[in-house]
Amino acid sequence: MNMGDTAAFLRCTETDCSSQYPISERYYSCPACGGLLEVEYDFRFPSTPDALKAAFRGRKLEDEPAYRSGVWRFHELLPFVPDLSRVVTLFEGNTPIYDAPLSSDYCGLPGLRFKHQGMNPTGSFKDNGMTTGVTAARMSGAAAVACASTGNTSASMAAYAARAGIQSLVFVPAGRISHGKLAQALEYGARVIELEGSFDDAMRIVRELAVESGLYLLNSVNPFRLEGQKTIVIEMLEQLGWTPPDWIVLPGGNLGNCSAFGKALRELSSLGFIDRVPRLAVIQARGAAPFYTLFKSPKRDRLVPVTQPATLASAIRIGSPVSWPKALRSLELTNGVVEQVSENEIADAKAVIGRDGIGCEPASAVTLAGAKQMVSNRIIARDSTVVCVLTGNLLKDPGYTIDYHSRKLKLDTPEGERMILVTRANTPERLPADKAAIRRHLKL
Ligand code: F0G
């Protein structure tokens, strides 16, 4: 396979540093200044953007394992692997883009679409980043990989590490991740440490452990993760015939995805694949919205962590997002915005997405709730084209969904327990096993 002769290197994203390192170095932050690193390329393509677009599409019909992946079929845009036969893949990506009439009506946007990353092999967008992250881990000879997680990263890392025959070690906040995600990590053979602390505690500890012990860190501070997550945007644009939407709306937690999306758009635009850059809208849950607060602050120079983040969207219950400086740059590049939404808004938006026959986990539903709010605030015009990224599958968190439909959804906040009002409950009806009673009840 011709990989071209593009050179890849690590570069510090702090503009006044910009130090460069070979990709063989196992750095998760810049040794010179502590800034976040990214993988940079001196892109040299053997062909034009149009020829590459045709090649990306054609690969969907090929049997080559790497080309059956919706990440690696775009490999010219993430060329850090010298040999595609060595990638660790579960045939991730190639996820659908849906129209959704009820959701469109709900937020007042005829031009709304959902890109459903929950249709990935382990049910979340993390798979796009883990195929590249675990491939990089294998290239660097890692014996064990590790992450902190609110659930999805651990599920995905465990699966890809199992495929690669590498031991995985995950740190999750005890009792604060959904059963679906915990079950996945256990089943795929990860060693699971339930930490008596928050996600932010787990993140801090695992970052330190990685530097001290040689564990290979697979959180999104690992720049190779973000290379895979770029393809969410690349594939979305392909599905839209390379006509960029006006807006891309995504949830914000640890802010890796926002960082990856901005990088994808920067590269696609500078390489001539697109002639216009969509605006990014990052949506946070109100009880865990440090990036929103930063964005609304006059100087935007310091993120103040939320010490007790509170949201039922457990995937994004994060008070101190690691990638905020990169994510902020993504917003500057795209004229992006950050908004926050309430628990009620998340819960109802999720139910609407379900009624479109699509469904998603709570964190993903912030996108529709955010789009609705931005339409009413006239930030998004009604005739805009908007793609909301659904990051995780409905089945990731069945407990939330059942509580919603049983009107038992409640949130623990630092101030105490609070019931979440719901407007679209579809409550199960319990009946005796008696046909006559059933006929009477159903008026049959
Ligand atoms: N949506 C889902 C379903 C997630 O699992 C996450 C993050 C996000 C959105 C936020 O993405 O961190 O890139 O801003 N989950 C991580 C985890 C933190 O550990 O699974 P982000």
PDB file of all heavy atoms in Angstrom, residues 233 236 245-250 257-263 265 277-283 295 326-327 329-339 374 387 389:
ATOM      1  N   VAL A 233     -15.690  13.876  11.749  1.00  0.00           N
ATOM      2  CA  VAL A 233     -16.001  15.046  10.917  1.00  0.00           C
ATOM      3  C   VAL A 233     -15.739  14.750   9.440  1.00  0.00           C
ATOM      4  O   VAL A 233     -16.530  15.120   8.567  1.00  0.00           O
ATOM      5  CB  VAL A 233     -15.158  16.260  11.382  1.00  0.00           C
ATOM      6  CG1 VAL A 233     -15.170  17.369  10.352  1.00  0.00           C
ATOM      7  CG2 VAL A 233     -15.685  16.775  12.708  1.00  0.00           C
ATOM      8  N   MET A 236     -18.534  12.634   8.174  1.00  0.00           N
ATOM      9  CA  MET A 236     -19.763  13.442   8.124  1.00  0.00           C
ATOM     10  C   MET A 236     -19.778  14.291   6.852  1.00  0.00           C
ATOM     11  O   MET A 236     -20.772  14.365   6.129  1.00  0.00           O
ATOM     12  CB  MET A 236     -19.817  14.336   9.360  1.00  0.00           C
ATOM     13  CG  MET A 236     -20.911  15.359   9.367  1.00  0.00           C
ATOM     14  SD  MET A 236     -20.557  16.685  10.562  1.00  0.00           S
ATOM     15  CE  MET A 236     -20.379  15.804  12.090  1.00  0.00           C
ATOM     16  N   PRO A 245     -21.967  21.575   6.761  1.00  0.00           N
ATOM     17  CA  PRO A 245     -23.171  22.136   7.377  1.00  0.00           C
ATOM     18  C   PRO A 245     -22.828  23.505   7.965  1.00  0.00           C
ATOM     19  O   PRO A 245     -21.659  23.859   8.079  1.00  0.00           O
ATOM     20  CB  PRO A 245     -23.486  21.129   8.491  1.00  0.00           C
ATOM     21  CG  PRO A 245     -22.154  20.557   8.854  1.00  0.00           C
ATOM     22  CD  PRO A 245     -21.329  20.540   7.593  1.00  0.00           C
ATOM     23  N   ASP A 246     -23.859  24.269   8.332  1.00  0.00           N
ATOM     24  CA  ASP A 246     -23.581  25.554   8.981  1.00  0.00           C
ATOM     25  C   ASP A 246     -23.041  25.335  10.393  1.00  0.00           C
ATOM     26  O   ASP A 246     -22.173  26.064  10.845  1.00  0.00           O
ATOM     27  CB  ASP A 246     -24.866  26.393   9.038  1.00  0.00           C
ATOM     28  CG  ASP A 246     -25.363  26.729   7.639  1.00  0.00           C
ATOM     29  OD1 ASP A 246     -24.527  27.112   6.797  1.00  0.00           O
ATOM     30  OD2 ASP A 246     -26.569  26.559   7.368  1.00  0.00           O
ATOM     31  N   TRP A 247     -23.589  24.306  11.062  1.00  0.00           N
ATOM     32  CA  TRP A 247     -23.216  24.055  12.455  1.00  0.00           C
ATOM     33  C   TRP A 247     -22.958  22.577  12.695  1.00  0.00           C
ATOM     34  O   TRP A 247     -23.658  21.725  12.127  1.00  0.00           O
ATOM     35  CB  TRP A 247     -24.358  24.452  13.406  1.00  0.00           C
ATOM     36  CG  TRP A 247     -24.590  25.913  13.546  1.00  0.00           C
ATOM     37  CD1 TRP A 247     -25.410  26.685  12.775  1.00  0.00           C
ATOM     38  CD2 TRP A 247     -24.012  26.788  14.534  1.00  0.00           C
ATOM     39  NE1 TRP A 247     -25.383  27.986  13.218  1.00  0.00           N
ATOM     40  CE2 TRP A 247     -24.539  28.071  14.302  1.00  0.00           C
ATOM     41  CE3 TRP A 247     -23.124  26.603  15.585  1.00  0.00           C
ATOM     42  CZ2 TRP A 247     -24.189  29.176  15.087  1.00  0.00           C
ATOM     43  CZ3 TRP A 247     -22.770  27.697  16.366  1.00  0.00           C
ATOM     44  CH2 TRP A 247     -23.302  28.966  16.115  1.00  0.00           C
ATOM     45  N   ILE A 248     -21.991  22.287  13.563  1.00  0.00           N
ATOM     46  CA  ILE A 248     -21.837  20.946  14.130  1.00  0.00           C
ATOM     47  C   ILE A 248     -22.000  21.109  15.642  1.00  0.00           C
ATOM     48  O   ILE A 248     -21.309  21.942  16.254  1.00  0.00           O
ATOM     49  CB  ILE A 248     -20.455  20.330  13.814  1.00  0.00           C
ATOM     50  CG1 ILE A 248     -20.265  20.169  12.301  1.00  0.00           C
ATOM     51  CG2 ILE A 248     -20.289  18.984  14.523  1.00  0.00           C
ATOM     52  CD1 ILE A 248     -18.873  19.688  11.894  1.00  0.00           C
ATOM     53  N   VAL A 249     -22.934  20.349  16.219  1.00  0.00           N
ATOM     54  CA  VAL A 249     -23.228  20.482  17.647  1.00  0.00           C
ATOM     55  C   VAL A 249     -22.762  19.205  18.350  1.00  0.00           C
ATOM     56  O   VAL A 249     -23.104  18.093  17.908  1.00  0.00           O
ATOM     57  CB  VAL A 249     -24.747  20.691  17.867  1.00  0.00           C
ATOM     58  CG1 VAL A 249     -25.037  20.939  19.351  1.00  0.00           C
ATOM     59  CG2 VAL A 249     -25.263  21.850  17.023  1.00  0.00           C
ATOM     60  N   LEU A 250     -21.989  19.351  19.429  1.00  0.00           N
ATOM     61  CA  LEU A 250     -21.470  18.168  20.119  1.00  0.00           C
ATOM     62  C   LEU A 250     -21.458  18.388  21.627  1.00  0.00           C
ATOM     63  O   LEU A 250     -21.379  19.531  22.094  1.00  0.00           O
ATOM     64  CB  LEU A 250     -20.054  17.828  19.614  1.00  0.00           C
ATOM     65  CG  LEU A 250     -18.900  18.753  19.982  1.00  0.00           C
ATOM     66  CD1 LEU A 250     -17.586  18.004  19.852  1.00  0.00           C
ATOM     67  CD2 LEU A 250     -18.849  19.978  19.099  1.00  0.00           C
ATOM     68  N   ASN A 257     -13.138  15.571  21.975  1.00  0.00           N
ATOM     69  CA  ASN A 257     -13.815  15.575  20.683  1.00  0.00           C
ATOM     70  C   ASN A 257     -13.813  16.964  20.045  1.00  0.00           C
ATOM     71  O   ASN A 257     -13.566  17.108  18.846  1.00  0.00           O
ATOM     72  CB  ASN A 257     -15.270  15.102  20.864  1.00  0.00           C
ATOM     73  CG  ASN A 257     -15.607  13.963  19.924  1.00  0.00           C
ATOM     74  OD1 ASN A 257     -14.740  13.411  19.241  1.00  0.00           O
ATOM     75  ND2 ASN A 257     -16.872  13.613  19.877  1.00  0.00           N
ATOM     76  N   CYS A 258     -14.081  17.972  20.839  1.00  0.00           N
ATOM     77  CA  CYS A 258     -14.068  19.338  20.303  1.00  0.00           C
ATOM     78  C   CYS A 258     -12.677  19.660  19.750  1.00  0.00           C
ATOM     79  O   CYS A 258     -12.531  20.269  18.688  1.00  0.00           O
ATOM     80  CB  CYS A 258     -14.463  20.314  21.408  1.00  0.00           C
ATOM     81  SG  CYS A 258     -14.372  22.027  20.890  1.00  0.00           S
ATOM     82  N   SER A 259     -11.650  19.193  20.458  1.00  0.00           N
ATOM     83  CA  SER A 259     -10.275  19.421  19.989  1.00  0.00           C
ATOM     84  C   SER A 259     -10.039  18.717  18.654  1.00  0.00           C
ATOM     85  O   SER A 259      -9.466  19.290  17.722  1.00  0.00           O
ATOM     86  CB  SER A 259      -9.272  18.888  21.018  1.00  0.00           C
ATOM     87  OG  SER A 259      -9.554  19.409  22.293  1.00  0.00           O
ATOM     88  N   ALA A 260     -10.516  17.466  18.579  1.00  0.00           N
ATOM     89  CA  ALA A 260     -10.310  16.685  17.349  1.00  0.00           C
ATOM     90  C   ALA A 260     -11.085  17.288  16.175  1.00  0.00           C
ATOM     91  O   ALA A 260     -10.569  17.356  15.051  1.00  0.00           O
ATOM     92  CB  ALA A 260     -10.763  15.241  17.571  1.00  0.00           C
ATOM     93  N   PHE A 261     -12.297  17.754  16.441  1.00  0.00           N
ATOM     94  CA  PHE A 261     -13.124  18.311  15.355  1.00  0.00           C
ATOM     95  C   PHE A 261     -12.462  19.578  14.794  1.00  0.00           C
ATOM     96  O   PHE A 261     -12.426  19.794  13.594  1.00  0.00           O
ATOM     97  CB  PHE A 261     -14.530  18.645  15.855  1.00  0.00           C
ATOM     98  CG  PHE A 261     -15.434  17.440  16.051  1.00  0.00           C
ATOM     99  CD1 PHE A 261     -14.922  16.159  16.180  1.00  0.00           C
ATOM    100  CD2 PHE A 261     -16.817  17.607  16.117  1.00  0.00           C
ATOM    101  CE1 PHE A 261     -15.763  15.063  16.374  1.00  0.00           C
ATOM    102  CE2 PHE A 261     -17.663  16.521  16.297  1.00  0.00           C
ATOM    103  CZ  PHE A 261     -17.140  15.243  16.431  1.00  0.00           C
ATOM    104  N   GLY A 262     -11.944  20.422  15.680  1.00  0.00           N
ATOM    105  CA  GLY A 262     -11.291  21.649  15.225  1.00  0.00           C
ATOM    106  C   GLY A 262     -10.064  21.329  14.385  1.00  0.00           C
ATOM    107  O   GLY A 262      -9.824  21.951  13.354  1.00  0.00           O
ATOM    108  N   LYS A 263      -9.310  20.321  14.821  1.00  0.00           N
ATOM    109  CA  LYS A 263      -8.106  19.943  14.058  1.00  0.00           C
ATOM    110  C   LYS A 263      -8.495  19.419  12.680  1.00  0.00           C
ATOM    111  O   LYS A 263      -7.893  19.770  11.664  1.00  0.00           O
ATOM    112  CB  LYS A 263      -7.317  18.891  14.846  1.00  0.00           C
ATOM    113  CG  LYS A 263      -5.994  18.504  14.208  1.00  0.00           C
ATOM    114  CD  LYS A 263      -5.166  17.656  15.164  1.00  0.00           C
ATOM    115  CE  LYS A 263      -3.709  17.527  14.722  1.00  0.00           C
ATOM    116  NZ  LYS A 263      -3.461  16.554  13.677  1.00  0.00           N
ATOM    117  N   LEU A 265     -11.124  20.155  10.946  1.00  0.00           N
ATOM    118  CA  LEU A 265     -11.607  21.253  10.092  1.00  0.00           C
ATOM    119  C   LEU A 265     -10.452  22.138   9.629  1.00  0.00           C
ATOM    120  O   LEU A 265     -10.414  22.579   8.483  1.00  0.00           O
ATOM    121  CB  LEU A 265     -12.668  22.068  10.838  1.00  0.00           C
ATOM    122  CG  LEU A 265     -13.977  21.288  11.082  1.00  0.00           C
ATOM    123  CD1 LEU A 265     -14.885  22.035  12.042  1.00  0.00           C
ATOM    124  CD2 LEU A 265     -14.707  21.002   9.768  1.00  0.00           C
ATOM    125  N   VAL A 277     -15.743  26.589   6.718  1.00  0.00           N
ATOM    126  CA  VAL A 277     -15.627  25.833   7.970  1.00  0.00           C
ATOM    127  C   VAL A 277     -16.928  25.978   8.757  1.00  0.00           C
ATOM    128  O   VAL A 277     -17.361  27.101   9.030  1.00  0.00           O
ATOM    129  CB  VAL A 277     -14.423  26.355   8.785  1.00  0.00           C
ATOM    130  CG1 VAL A 277     -14.408  25.765  10.177  1.00  0.00           C
ATOM    131  CG2 VAL A 277     -13.109  26.019   8.075  1.00  0.00           C
ATOM    132  N   PRO A 278     -17.570  24.851   9.130  1.00  0.00           N
ATOM    133  CA  PRO A 278     -18.782  24.957   9.943  1.00  0.00           C
ATOM    134  C   PRO A 278     -18.471  25.523  11.321  1.00  0.00           C
ATOM    135  O   PRO A 278     -17.332  25.433  11.787  1.00  0.00           O
ATOM    136  CB  PRO A 278     -19.260  23.505  10.099  1.00  0.00           C
ATOM    137  CG  PRO A 278     -18.283  22.651   9.392  1.00  0.00           C
ATOM    138  CD  PRO A 278     -17.163  23.470   8.873  1.00  0.00           C
ATOM    139  N   ARG A 279     -19.481  26.081  11.964  1.00  0.00           N
ATOM    140  CA  ARG A 279     -19.296  26.558  13.340  1.00  0.00           C
ATOM    141  C   ARG A 279     -19.522  25.396  14.296  1.00  0.00           C
ATOM    142  O   ARG A 279     -20.427  24.590  14.094  1.00  0.00           O
ATOM    143  CB  ARG A 279     -20.276  27.700  13.634  1.00  0.00           C
ATOM    144  CG  ARG A 279     -20.020  28.911  12.756  1.00  0.00           C
ATOM    145  CD  ARG A 279     -21.009  30.037  13.048  1.00  0.00           C
ATOM    146  NE  ARG A 279     -20.742  30.660  14.338  1.00  0.00           N
ATOM    147  CZ  ARG A 279     -21.478  31.654  14.842  1.00  0.00           C
ATOM    148  NH1 ARG A 279     -22.520  32.125  14.167  1.00  0.00           N
ATOM    149  NH2 ARG A 279     -21.180  32.180  16.019  1.00  0.00           N
ATOM    150  N   LEU A 280     -18.691  25.316  15.320  1.00  0.00           N
ATOM    151  CA  LEU A 280     -18.861  24.268  16.335  1.00  0.00           C
ATOM    152  C   LEU A 280     -19.659  24.836  17.507  1.00  0.00           C
ATOM    153  O   LEU A 280     -19.403  25.963  17.941  1.00  0.00           O
ATOM    154  CB  LEU A 280     -17.502  23.783  16.856  1.00  0.00           C
ATOM    155  CG  LEU A 280     -16.603  22.996  15.911  1.00  0.00           C
ATOM    156  CD1 LEU A 280     -15.289  22.629  16.606  1.00  0.00           C
ATOM    157  CD2 LEU A 280     -17.295  21.726  15.409  1.00  0.00           C
ATOM    158  N   ALA A 281     -20.599  24.052  18.001  1.00  0.00           N
ATOM    159  CA  ALA A 281     -21.303  24.421  19.242  1.00  0.00           C
ATOM    160  C   ALA A 281     -21.110  23.289  20.236  1.00  0.00           C
ATOM    161  O   ALA A 281     -21.516  22.150  19.983  1.00  0.00           O
ATOM    162  CB  ALA A 281     -22.783  24.640  18.968  1.00  0.00           C
ATOM    163  N   VAL A 282     -20.444  23.600  21.336  1.00  0.00           N
ATOM    164  CA  VAL A 282     -20.216  22.610  22.391  1.00  0.00           C
ATOM    165  C   VAL A 282     -21.288  22.809  23.449  1.00  0.00           C
ATOM    166  O   VAL A 282     -21.511  23.935  23.908  1.00  0.00           O
ATOM    167  CB  VAL A 282     -18.824  22.814  23.031  1.00  0.00           C
ATOM    168  CG1 VAL A 282     -18.624  21.875  24.224  1.00  0.00           C
ATOM    169  CG2 VAL A 282     -17.737  22.592  22.001  1.00  0.00           C
ATOM    170  N   ILE A 283     -21.955  21.724  23.839  1.00  0.00           N
ATOM    171  CA  ILE A 283     -23.017  21.839  24.836  1.00  0.00           C
ATOM    172  C   ILE A 283     -22.617  21.068  26.099  1.00  0.00           C
ATOM    173  O   ILE A 283     -22.202  19.911  26.018  1.00  0.00           O
ATOM    174  CB  ILE A 283     -24.366  21.268  24.312  1.00  0.00           C
ATOM    175  CG1 ILE A 283     -24.638  21.703  22.852  1.00  0.00           C
ATOM    176  CG2 ILE A 283     -25.508  21.692  25.246  1.00  0.00           C
ATOM    177  CD1 ILE A 283     -24.835  23.167  22.627  1.00  0.00           C
ATOM    178  N   PHE A 295     -15.844  30.094  28.710  1.00  0.00           N
ATOM    179  CA  PHE A 295     -16.141  30.732  27.426  1.00  0.00           C
ATOM    180  C   PHE A 295     -16.834  32.077  27.619  1.00  0.00           C
ATOM    181  O   PHE A 295     -16.636  33.002  26.847  1.00  0.00           O
ATOM    182  CB  PHE A 295     -17.007  29.794  26.575  1.00  0.00           C
ATOM    183  CG  PHE A 295     -17.175  30.263  25.161  1.00  0.00           C
ATOM    184  CD1 PHE A 295     -16.152  30.098  24.235  1.00  0.00           C
ATOM    185  CD2 PHE A 295     -18.350  30.889  24.760  1.00  0.00           C
ATOM    186  CE1 PHE A 295     -16.289  30.551  22.937  1.00  0.00           C
ATOM    187  CE2 PHE A 295     -18.498  31.339  23.464  1.00  0.00           C
ATOM    188  CZ  PHE A 295     -17.470  31.172  22.542  1.00  0.00           C
ATOM    189  N   LYS A 326      -6.989  23.239  23.933  1.00  0.00           N
ATOM    190  CA  LYS A 326      -7.145  22.835  22.526  1.00  0.00           C
ATOM    191  C   LYS A 326      -8.569  23.109  22.052  1.00  0.00           C
ATOM    192  O   LYS A 326      -8.801  23.549  20.929  1.00  0.00           O
ATOM    193  CB  LYS A 326      -6.910  21.324  22.389  1.00  0.00           C
ATOM    194  CG  LYS A 326      -5.487  20.909  22.133  1.00  0.00           C
ATOM    195  CD  LYS A 326      -5.487  19.412  21.792  1.00  0.00           C
ATOM    196  CE  LYS A 326      -4.094  18.849  21.793  1.00  0.00           C
ATOM    197  NZ  LYS A 326      -4.065  17.395  21.554  1.00  0.00           N
ATOM    198  N   ALA A 327      -9.529  22.796  22.933  1.00  0.00           N
ATOM    199  CA  ALA A 327     -10.940  22.975  22.557  1.00  0.00           C
ATOM    200  C   ALA A 327     -11.247  24.450  22.315  1.00  0.00           C
ATOM    201  O   ALA A 327     -11.985  24.797  21.385  1.00  0.00           O
ATOM    202  CB  ALA A 327     -11.839  22.411  23.659  1.00  0.00           C
ATOM    203  N   ARG A 329      -9.186  26.624  21.183  1.00  0.00           N
ATOM    204  CA  ARG A 329      -8.644  26.960  19.858  1.00  0.00           C
ATOM    205  C   ARG A 329      -9.579  26.493  18.748  1.00  0.00           C
ATOM    206  O   ARG A 329      -9.754  27.173  17.745  1.00  0.00           O
ATOM    207  CB  ARG A 329      -7.266  26.322  19.673  1.00  0.00           C
ATOM    208  CG  ARG A 329      -6.204  27.331  19.976  1.00  0.00           C
ATOM    209  CD  ARG A 329      -4.795  26.786  19.882  1.00  0.00           C
ATOM    210  NE  ARG A 329      -4.125  27.210  21.094  1.00  0.00           N
ATOM    211  CZ  ARG A 329      -3.589  26.414  21.983  1.00  0.00           C
ATOM    212  NH1 ARG A 329      -3.567  25.114  21.781  1.00  0.00           N
ATOM    213  NH2 ARG A 329      -3.031  26.904  23.055  1.00  0.00           N
ATOM    214  N   SER A 330     -10.203  25.331  18.946  1.00  0.00           N
ATOM    215  CA  SER A 330     -11.167  24.842  17.948  1.00  0.00           C
ATOM    216  C   SER A 330     -12.306  25.844  17.788  1.00  0.00           C
ATOM    217  O   SER A 330     -12.799  26.079  16.684  1.00  0.00           O
ATOM    218  CB  SER A 330     -11.767  23.499  18.382  1.00  0.00           C
ATOM    219  OG  SER A 330     -10.801  22.487  18.365  1.00  0.00           O
ATOM    220  N   LEU A 331     -12.735  26.427  18.903  1.00  0.00           N
ATOM    221  CA  LEU A 331     -13.845  27.387  18.838  1.00  0.00           C
ATOM    222  C   LEU A 331     -13.396  28.687  18.178  1.00  0.00           C
ATOM    223  O   LEU A 331     -14.141  29.300  17.413  1.00  0.00           O
ATOM    224  CB  LEU A 331     -14.401  27.654  20.239  1.00  0.00           C
ATOM    225  CG  LEU A 331     -15.024  26.433  20.916  1.00  0.00           C
ATOM    226  CD1 LEU A 331     -15.587  26.793  22.273  1.00  0.00           C
ATOM    227  CD2 LEU A 331     -16.120  25.816  20.053  1.00  0.00           C
ATOM    228  N   GLU A 332     -12.163  29.091  18.463  1.00  0.00           N
ATOM    229  CA  GLU A 332     -11.658  30.320  17.822  1.00  0.00           C
ATOM    230  C   GLU A 332     -11.589  30.122  16.304  1.00  0.00           C
ATOM    231  O   GLU A 332     -11.988  30.978  15.538  1.00  0.00           O
ATOM    232  CB  GLU A 332     -10.274  30.681  18.378  1.00  0.00           C
ATOM    233  CG  GLU A 332     -10.379  31.330  19.767  1.00  0.00           C
ATOM    234  CD  GLU A 332      -9.097  31.235  20.604  1.00  0.00           C
ATOM    235  OE1 GLU A 332      -8.043  30.809  20.070  1.00  0.00           O
ATOM    236  OE2 GLU A 332      -9.175  31.580  21.796  1.00  0.00           O
ATOM    237  N   LEU A 333     -11.109  28.959  15.899  1.00  0.00           N
ATOM    238  CA  LEU A 333     -10.972  28.668  14.464  1.00  0.00           C
ATOM    239  C   LEU A 333     -12.320  28.660  13.752  1.00  0.00           C
ATOM    240  O   LEU A 333     -12.423  29.058  12.593  1.00  0.00           O
ATOM    241  CB  LEU A 333     -10.299  27.291  14.295  1.00  0.00           C
ATOM    242  CG  LEU A 333     -10.262  26.756  12.872  1.00  0.00           C
ATOM    243  CD1 LEU A 333      -9.000  27.263  12.172  1.00  0.00           C
ATOM    244  CD2 LEU A 333     -10.317  25.239  12.828  1.00  0.00           C
ATOM    245  N   THR A 334     -13.353  28.167  14.449  1.00  0.00           N
ATOM    246  CA  THR A 334     -14.636  27.926  13.777  1.00  0.00           C
ATOM    247  C   THR A 334     -15.699  28.959  14.140  1.00  0.00           C
ATOM    248  O   THR A 334     -16.854  28.770  13.797  1.00  0.00           O
ATOM    249  CB  THR A 334     -15.168  26.524  14.149  1.00  0.00           C
ATOM    250  OG1 THR A 334     -15.413  26.490  15.570  1.00  0.00           O
ATOM    251  CG2 THR A 334     -14.185  25.426  13.798  1.00  0.00           C
ATOM    252  N   ASN A 335     -15.296  30.003  14.852  1.00  0.00           N
ATOM    253  CA  ASN A 335     -16.278  30.970  15.356  1.00  0.00           C
ATOM    254  C   ASN A 335     -17.351  30.230  16.148  1.00  0.00           C
ATOM    255  O   ASN A 335     -18.552  30.454  15.996  1.00  0.00           O
ATOM    256  CB  ASN A 335     -16.889  31.752  14.181  1.00  0.00           C
ATOM    257  CG  ASN A 335     -17.738  32.914  14.642  1.00  0.00           C
ATOM    258  OD1 ASN A 335     -17.593  33.375  15.785  1.00  0.00           O
ATOM    259  ND2 ASN A 335     -18.640  33.365  13.793  1.00  0.00           N
ATOM    260  N   GLY A 336     -16.879  29.337  17.001  1.00  0.00           N
ATOM    261  CA  GLY A 336     -17.784  28.457  17.735  1.00  0.00           C
ATOM    262  C   GLY A 336     -18.328  29.074  19.000  1.00  0.00           C
ATOM    263  O   GLY A 336     -17.970  30.214  19.366  1.00  0.00           O
ATOM    264  N   VAL A 337     -19.209  28.328  19.660  1.00  0.00           N
ATOM    265  CA  VAL A 337     -19.836  28.799  20.904  1.00  0.00           C
ATOM    266  C   VAL A 337     -19.920  27.643  21.903  1.00  0.00           C
ATOM    267  O   VAL A 337     -19.768  26.476  21.528  1.00  0.00           O
ATOM    268  CB  VAL A 337     -21.264  29.344  20.671  1.00  0.00           C
ATOM    269  CG1 VAL A 337     -21.266  30.544  19.735  1.00  0.00           C
ATOM    270  CG2 VAL A 337     -22.173  28.258  20.135  1.00  0.00           C
ATOM    271  N   VAL A 338     -20.177  27.987  23.156  1.00  0.00           N
ATOM    272  CA  VAL A 338     -20.460  26.974  24.178  1.00  0.00           C
ATOM    273  C   VAL A 338     -21.785  27.349  24.836  1.00  0.00           C
ATOM    274  O   VAL A 338     -22.006  28.531  25.138  1.00  0.00           O
ATOM    275  CB  VAL A 338     -19.361  26.915  25.269  1.00  0.00           C
ATOM    276  CG1 VAL A 338     -19.600  25.733  26.207  1.00  0.00           C
ATOM    277  CG2 VAL A 338     -17.980  26.830  24.660  1.00  0.00           C
ATOM    278  N   GLU A 339     -22.648  26.375  25.039  1.00  0.00           N
ATOM    279  CA  GLU A 339     -23.914  26.620  25.736  1.00  0.00           C
ATOM    280  C   GLU A 339     -24.070  25.560  26.824  1.00  0.00           C
ATOM    281  O   GLU A 339     -23.386  24.538  26.824  1.00  0.00           O
ATOM    282  CB  GLU A 339     -25.096  26.544  24.756  1.00  0.00           C
ATOM    283  CG  GLU A 339     -25.067  27.600  23.668  1.00  0.00           C
ATOM    284  CD  GLU A 339     -25.230  29.033  24.178  1.00  0.00           C
ATOM    285  OE1 GLU A 339     -25.774  29.225  25.286  1.00  0.00           O
ATOM    286  OE2 GLU A 339     -24.781  29.968  23.471  1.00  0.00           O
ATOM    287  N   MET A 374     -30.510  27.201  21.144  1.00  0.00           N
ATOM    288  CA  MET A 374     -29.823  28.163  20.267  1.00  0.00           C
ATOM    289  C   MET A 374     -30.729  28.676  19.161  1.00  0.00           C
ATOM    290  O   MET A 374     -30.551  29.792  18.663  1.00  0.00           O
ATOM    291  CB  MET A 374     -28.561  27.512  19.679  1.00  0.00           C
ATOM    292  CG  MET A 374     -27.482  27.304  20.743  1.00  0.00           C
ATOM    293  SD  MET A 374     -26.159  26.263  20.166  1.00  0.00           S
ATOM    294  CE  MET A 374     -25.359  27.340  19.014  1.00  0.00           C
ATOM    295  N   VAL A 387     -25.690  19.545  12.066  1.00  0.00           N
ATOM    296  CA  VAL A 387     -25.478  18.134  12.406  1.00  0.00           C
ATOM    297  C   VAL A 387     -25.180  18.030  13.897  1.00  0.00           C
ATOM    298  O   VAL A 387     -24.218  18.621  14.393  1.00  0.00           O
ATOM    299  CB  VAL A 387     -24.315  17.501  11.608  1.00  0.00           C
ATOM    300  CG1 VAL A 387     -24.138  16.038  12.006  1.00  0.00           C
ATOM    301  CG2 VAL A 387     -24.556  17.609  10.109  1.00  0.00           C
ATOM    302  N   VAL A 389     -24.054  15.583  16.855  1.00  0.00           N
ATOM    303  CA  VAL A 389     -23.328  14.312  16.972  1.00  0.00           C
ATOM    304  C   VAL A 389     -23.850  13.559  18.198  1.00  0.00           C
ATOM    305  O   VAL A 389     -23.738  14.045  19.325  1.00  0.00           O
ATOM    306  CB  VAL A 389     -21.807  14.553  17.080  1.00  0.00           C
ATOM    307  CG1 VAL A 389     -21.067  13.222  17.219  1.00  0.00           C
ATOM    308  CG2 VAL A 389     -21.310  15.297  15.844  1.00  0.00           C
TER     309      VAL A 389
END
